[in-house]
Amino acid sequence: ATEKPAPLPRSKNAALEGLFAKRAAVQKEFDAASQPTDKKAALEAMLAKRAAALDGEDEPKAEPKAKSKTAALEAMFAKRAAEMGGAAEKRPNPIPIRNDPEFKKYFKMLKVGMPIDTVRQALERDGKDPAIADFDPDKSYASQAKEEEGMAEDVPLKDDPNYKKFFKMLTMGIPEGAVRQALQKEGKDPDVATMDPNKSYASQAKPKVEDGPPLKDDPEYVKFFKMLKMMIPEGAVRQAIQKEGKDVSILEMDPNKSYASQKSTQKEVGPPLKD
């Protein structure tokens, strides 16, 4: 029997090409089996893969669930409350007047037992409202100054904190002249003593007459009012006025009004008639 001739050995290049072709066919079959048949599913898979690549994740993120309406409203109100709370923290707290750098020394004077009239004089000497001495030390100046302004407009004089004590003096039978002096001593309008207690001060106050500086600032009389502020007895001041030949009746006048405006309305009072 004749022997079959042995097959010729294939070249190395041909062997490699055959190997690669076989592997490529296997890979093609695997890819075909793993690809979804639905075009829509294939598109979604591709987009999910790209999204995952952009986010740096292996798997695409799950879509967040929509919040309920109640949760959304609660979040909104919580945010507004936080904003309002922050605004309230930024708003400065009012300083009690006893700690206010502008007024605290006067309340220290009251605390150490100095008479309130002395404190009022100190306030007036410093160009401040003497009524501050009657303010609540635990409230701010602004809150009480506004109240005082509002009261001056529509509160009856008998209930006005600035004047009600003078009307109590009148109801107790204290002479009108003594009440006028008490008003002048505190730097208030002495005409209040003759006003209607059921009406406000603003509705009855006379307009200011611009006919000269207030007595306390009048160059001719200023030194006598300074003497009074320095607690020099009124008798000694009266003698000093007489010594210089000036009108001693200024001591009964309102230091916050001019001499001319008060002298023109002042009644001339003569000596008492003898029996």
Side-chain angles (χ1 to χ4, degrees):
T2 59
E3 294 180 357
K4 290 182 180 180
L8 295 173
R10 299 168 69 183
S11 66
K12 289 182 179 181
N13 288 339
L16 286 171
E17 287 174 357
L19 179 63
F20 289 143
K22 187 176 180 181
R23 286 185 178 178
V26 172
Q27 183 66 37
K28 188 175 181 180
E29 291 177 1
F30 177 78
D31 291 342
S34 62
Q35 289 292 331
T37 56
D38 187 8
K39 289 183 178 180
K40 185 177 180 181
L43 182 61
E44 289 176 353
M46 181 185 70
L47 293 174
K49 187 175 181 181
R50 287 185 180 179
L54 288 171
D55 293 339
E57 299 175 355
D58 295 334
E59 295 180 358
K61 288 183 177 178
E63 293 183 3
K65 294 182 180 179
K67 291 182 179 179
S68 66
K69 290 183 178 180
T70 305
L73 284 171
E74 288 176 354
M76 181 182 70
F77 288 136
K79 185 178 179 181
R80 287 186 181 178
E83 290 173 355
M84 291 174 69
E89 289 176 1
K90 292 178 183 178
R91 192 181 299 118
N93 292 324
I95 303 173
I97 195 169
R98 61 185 167 82
N99 296 331
D100 192 318
E102 191 174 354
F103 303 109
K104 64 181 181 181
K105 68 177 181 180
Y106 306 108
F107 287 91
K108 283 184 179 178
M109 293 167 67
L110 291 170
K111 191 174 181 180
V112 298
M114 294 185 72
I116 193 167
D117 288 339
T118 304
V119 178
R120 289 194 186 105
Q121 289 178 358
L123 283 158
E124 192 174 4
R125 183 182 63 243
D126 294 342
K128 303 183 189 303
D129 183 3
I132 289 169
D134 301 304
F135 282 9
D136 186 340
D138 295 317
K139 294 182 180 179
S140 68
Y141 170 77
S143 67
Q144 299 181 80
K146 288 178 182 177
E147 289 175 5
E148 188 182 12
E149 289 173 5
M151 287 175 179
E153 292 297 327
D154 52 14
V155 175
L157 274 169
K158 65 179 181 179
D159 299 325
D160 191 322
N162 291 317
Y163 301 108
K164 63 181 181 181
K165 69 177 180 180
F166 302 107
F167 286 94
K168 285 183 180 179
M169 292 168 67
L170 290 170
T171 56
M172 292 168 62
I174 296 174
E176 183 183 308
V179 177
R180 290 178 69 89
Q181 287 182 355
L183 283 159
Q184 286 178 340
K185 189 176 180 181
E186 294 192 14
K188 302 184 186 300
D189 184 359
D191 292 337
V192 168
T194 56
M195 291 182 181
D196 186 344
N198 295 310
K199 295 181 180 179
S200 68
Y201 174 77
S203 67
Q204 302 180 78
K206 296 176 183 178
K208 292 182 180 179
V209 181
E210 298 297 335
D211 51 6
L215 268 172
K216 65 179 181 179
D217 300 325
D218 192 321
E220 195 169 353
Y221 301 104
V222 62
K223 66 179 179 181
F224 303 115
F225 288 96
K226 284 184 177 179
M227 291 168 69
L228 290 171
K229 286 183 179 180
M230 293 169 64
M231 310 301 289
I232 295 175
E234 186 178 317
V237 179
R238 187 180 294 273
Q239 288 180 355
I241 295 171
Q242 287 176 333
K243 187 177 180 180
E244 294 193 15
K246 301 188 186 300
D247 185 1
V248 294
S249 67
I250 64 168
L251 295 176
E252 281 77 41
M253 292 183 183
D254 186 347
N256 295 306
K257 295 181 179 180
S258 69
Y259 175 78
S261 66
Q262 299 180 81
K263 189 62 180 176
S264 60
T265 58
Q266 192 179 41
K267 294 179 181 179
E268 295 294 335
V269 180
L273 295 172
K274 294 183 180 179
D275 295 334

